[in-house]
Amino acid sequence: TVYATDIAKAVQAPIFHVNGDDPEACVRVIRLAFAFRQAFRKDVVVDMVCYRRYGHNEGDEPAFTQPRMYELIGARRSVRKLYTEVLVNRGDLTLEECEAALDDYRRNLEAAFADTQEQRAAAAPAWEEPEPEARRIHTSADTSVPRAQLDRIVAALTEYPADFTVHPKLGRILAARRTGFDADQIDWATAEALALGSLLLEGTPVRMAGQDTRRGTFSQRHAAVVDFHTEQDHIPLQHLADDQAPFMIFDSVLSEYAALGFEYGYSIADRDALVEWEAQVGDFANVAQAIIDPFIVSAEDKWGQRSGLTLLLPHGFEGQGPEHSSARIERFLTLCAADNMRVAHPTTAANYFHLLRRQVREPERKPLVVFTPKKYLRMAAVASPVAEFTDGRFHELLADPRSPDPDTVRRLVVASGKIGHELLAHRDEIGAPAAVVRVEQLYPVPEAELAATLLRYPALESVVWVQEEPENMGARIFAMPYMYSLVRNRFAVDCVARPASASPASGSSKVHDAQQAALLTAAFAGL
C-alpha cells in the first residue's frame, strides 16, 4: 500500500494523515483523534508524514544508499526554522524572542549533558570479579485453601443466570467437573479455576489473555460460557462474591509479539495482580521472542525492573506435527541465571494449583514460565484429591508415589513432564527395581530435594535422566551437569532421549509411538 498505516483499515479504524512540518496541524489532529477515541471507544490512527534528517545512528550516512532523497532533505529547512517563520510572520513572537528561546534551550541542554557526564564519571565503580551465583533459598509460601472456599468456587462454575441456556454438550462437561470434585478427583482445568477463583476471593486481581484462552486451545477451560440461543457471555469467575477482585480474560489478536508485550507492560503496572499470557501451543512463543529475551528474562538485571508475568506454554510429544509439540524448553533454560525467573513443568492438578497461587503469594516476584499439558489435561493420572488443595504446597520435586522397597531400588529415573506418568506406568507393568521422580520446577533447580532423594535408596547403582524431546533439545543439556554434580561419581549417570534432530518431532504418529516405546524400554534396560 501507499501508507504503512493502511493496515488499520483491516479493523475499520479511521486514519488521519498529517504533515510533520506543521506542528500546529499535528497537535490539532492528535486532539481530534483523542476526542474520537473518547467518544466512540474505538481505535484511531495518526500517520505523521515526516523524515529522518541524520540517518539511523551517529555512524550512519544515509546518502550512501539514498543519495537523491538526502539531497532533498539536506536542502530542506528544519521544522524549527519553518515554524519560527510562521510565529514571527503572524506576530506571535519577535525574531529576538525566538533566538532567545533557542539560546536558552541550548544552555539547558548543554548543562544537562555536562551534569550527566559528571554523575556517570563519579558513579562508575572499578571493575571487580563478579561474585559466584548465590544458591537460592527455597521458600514455602502457604498456598492451601479452606474446603469451604473450594466448594463455593465449584458451585459458581456450574451455576448460570436464570435466563441462560448452556450448550447441552458443554453443560455435561461442566457438570462432570462437579462430579469429579465430589468424587475427590480434581482435573487440570478445575484446579486452574480453583486457583484463580481463590485468588479472586482473597482480593488478588487476575488477568489472562491469549489465543482461544477463554475457551482454552484444547477446549478445556471454558472460562466464558456462551448462551446456546443468544450468544451472550457468562463468566462464572466474575460472579463469586460481591467483594471479589476483578477477573479479566480475553482472546487476543493473532500476534504473540504484540499480545505478550502488552501483558508484560500490564504486569509492571499492576504488581499485585496475577497476569498470565497463554500461547495457543507452546512453540508460538517463538513469535514473541523479542519480548521474552530483552524484557521478561533480563529486565531485572538490566534495569531493576521486576515483573510477575506468567507464561502458559502447552507442551507435549503426542504424535502431532513438529510445530505443535515443543515449547522449546531448552531455549528458556538457556536464558536462566541468577534466579531471574522460574521455569516449571507441573504434572498434577494440585501442583499446578499451588504453582499459580505461589506466583502471587511469594514475596519476591519473578516471571514464571509454565509448560502445560495437552493430552494429559483430561487424563486420570493428573487428577488430585481435594486434600492436596486444602493442605499442601507446590512441590518442586515429586517423589515416586508408589515406589518399591527403597532397599531394592537399583536405578533412579528422573524426568520432567508427562513422560513421568508414562515411566511410572511402564515401571509398574514390568516390575523394574527402579524409582521414578518428577522434576516439577526446572529452574531454580531443586538441588536439595534431588540430593535427599539419592539418600533414600541405599542400593542405588545408576541415575538416568529421561526426556521425550530429542537429546539436543529439552532439559537434558541444562539438567545433566546438575546430575553429575549431585552424584559425584558414586553411580553411573546416563540420559535417555530421542536421537538429536533438527526438527522437534517426527510428524508421524507411527514413528512417534515406536520412539516413545523405545524410550520407556531404554529407561529400565539392564534391570
Side-chain angles (χ1 to χ4, degrees):
T1 64
V2 175
Y3 298 102
T5 50
D6 281 354
I7 193 172
K9 293 177 179 178
V11 293
Q12 298 180 343
I15 305 166
F16 296 107
H17 303 277
V18 61
N19 183 359
D21 272 355
D22 187 342
E24 292 182 358
C26 292
V27 171
R28 188 164 62 251
V29 165
I30 286 293
R31 287 174 173 163
L32 178 60
F34 186 76
F36 180 93
R37 173 79 174 184
Q38 293 297 95
F40 300 108
R41 301 286 189 252
K42 298 291 185 182
D43 290 338
V44 56
V45 175
V46 173
D47 180 7
M48 186 169 69
V49 182
C50 50
Y51 56 89
R52 174 182 278 164
R53 181 172 287 273
Y54 297 111
H56 179 65
N57 57 43
E58 63 273 13
D60 184 27
E61 174 47 80
F64 287 160
T65 52
Q66 294 174 304
R68 178 59 181 152
M69 177 188 293
Y70 273 85
E71 181 184 3
L72 294 171
I73 289 174
R76 189 172 186 82
R77 301 166 75 202
S78 71
V79 177
R80 181 187 62 80
K81 290 180 179 179
L82 291 171
Y83 191 46
T84 297
E85 280 189 5
V86 171
L87 294 174
V88 171
N89 291 337
R90 228 167 41 193
D92 294 336
L93 291 174
T94 66
L95 184 59
E96 291 74 17
E97 288 174 325
C98 291
E99 290 176 349
L102 177 60
D103 290 341
D104 182 61
Y105 173 75
R106 284 174 173 165
R107 281 194 301 271
N108 283 312
L109 194 65
E110 290 169 359
F113 179 74
D115 185 53
T116 300
Q117 294 296 93
E118 291 174 5
Q119 291 180 16
R120 181 179 297 174
W127 186 86
E128 296 179 358
E129 184 73 27
E131 292 286 334
E133 182 177 335
R135 295 297 183 188
R136 175 177 177 269
I137 299 175
H138 294 257
T139 59
S140 299
D142 182 9
T143 52
S144 60
V145 172
R147 172 64 187 253
Q149 195 174 96
L150 299 180
D151 288 333
R152 183 177 184 177
I153 298 166
V154 171
L157 294 177
T158 52
E159 292 177 353
Y160 316 102
D163 57 348
F164 191 91
T165 304
V166 68
H167 189 290
K169 183 178 179 180
L170 180 56
R172 292 191 294 271
I173 291 172
L174 298 178
R177 293 183 180 176
R178 174 85 230 193
T179 302
F181 180 82
D182 293 339
D184 205 30
Q185 287 295 295
I186 299 176
D187 66 12
W188 192 274
T190 306
E192 180 184 78
L194 292 173
L196 303 184
S198 60
L199 291 172
L200 294 169
L201 289 173
E202 293 165 3
T204 298
V206 174
R207 176 184 171 88
M208 181 183 288
Q211 299 166 7
D212 293 332
T213 291
R214 284 158 46 111
R215 183 198 68 211
T217 296
F218 308 99
S219 199
Q220 86 284 359
R221 181 172 291 119
H222 301 295
V225 185
V226 179
D227 188 285
F228 190 51
H229 299 304
T230 66
E231 295 192 352
Q232 293 298 307
D233 288 347
H234 171 65
I235 301 177
L237 290 181
Q238 291 179 347
H239 302 279
L240 299 175
D242 292 338
D243 59 349
Q244 72 170 77
F247 176 60
M248 300 157 278
I249 185 162
F250 304 101
D251 291 334
S252 70
V253 296
L254 300 180
S255 170
E256 291 82 5
Y257 169 67
L260 182 56
F262 187 91
E263 300 310 319
Y264 174 76
Y266 198 100
S267 73
I268 297 297
D270 190 348
R271 297 178 185 272
D272 296 327
L274 175 65
V275 183
E276 300 178 287
W277 175 78
E278 182 178 55
Q280 194 170 53
V281 287
D283 63 315
F284 284 15
N286 292 351
V287 188
Q289 211 69 35
I291 298 297
I292 293 168
D293 290 3
F295 295 101
I296 294 172
V297 168
S298 57
E300 181 180 357
D301 189 40
K302 292 189 292 190
W303 313 306
Q305 180 72 276
R306 293 195 174 189
S307 164
L309 180 65
T310 297
L311 276 64
L312 304 179
L313 308 178
H315 174 91
F317 284 61
E318 292 152 0
Q320 295 176 318
E323 272 58 70
H324 293 85
S325 296
S326 178
R328 293 291 190 173
I329 291 174
E330 66 279 1
R331 289 182 180 170
F332 288 94
L333 292 178
T334 300
L335 298 168
C336 290
D339 197 20
N340 61 328
M341 59 182 176
R342 301 183 180 104
V343 179
H345 200 177
T347 60
T348 70
N351 227 22
Y352 180 51
F353 167 88
H354 290 292
L355 176 65
L356 293 180
R357 287 182 51 77
R358 188 188 72 166
Q359 183 63 1
V360 293
R361 290 294 167 257
E362 276 202 345
E364 193 172 26
R365 303 303 296 274
K366 300 282 183 179
L368 170 65
V369 179
V370 188
F371 302 108
T372 58
K374 298 184 294 182
K375 173 183 174 183
Y376 271 72
L377 286 168
R378 295 177 175 83
M379 295 298 228
V382 306
S384 303
V386 175
E388 292 186 9
F389 295 74
T390 59
D391 184 18
R393 62 173 182 84
F394 176 70
H395 295 281
E396 296 169 342
L397 183 79
L398 283 180
D400 194 317
R402 48 186 184 275
S403 64
D405 182 350
D407 293 333
T408 67
V409 171
R410 293 161 45 203
R411 177 173 299 168
L412 180 66
V413 177
V414 186
S416 183
K418 80 172 182 65
I419 197 170
H421 292 295
E422 298 172 8
L423 289 164
L424 285 167
H426 189 68
R427 188 276 315 274
D428 294 347
E429 181 183 342
I430 65 176
V436 179
V437 297
R438 289 162 284 168
V439 180
E440 302 282 287
Q441 179 172 285
L442 291 165
Y443 186 83
V445 179
E447 295 179 53
E449 290 86 344
L450 281 166
T453 300
L454 292 174
L455 296 176
R456 289 185 56 196
Y457 304 107
L460 209 57
E461 298 172 357
S462 62
V463 178
V464 178
W465 172 268
V466 182
Q467 66 178 40
E468 53 189 355
E469 299 85 2
E471 65 177 354
N472 60 322
M473 303 176 194
R476 184 192 76 83
I477 298 173
F478 186 82
M480 291 305 289
Y482 287 96
M483 306 298 291
Y484 285 117
S485 174
L486 290 168
V487 167
R488 298 185 185 278
N489 298 321
R490 289 177 291 167
F491 325 108
V493 180
D494 201 0
C495 173
V496 172
R498 282 177 165 79
S501 171
S503 172
S506 69
S508 164
S509 59
K510 289 185 178 180
V511 172
H512 167 84
D513 291 342
Q515 290 177 337
Q516 204 77 354
L519 288 178
L520 298 177
T521 300
F524 302 101
L527 294 179

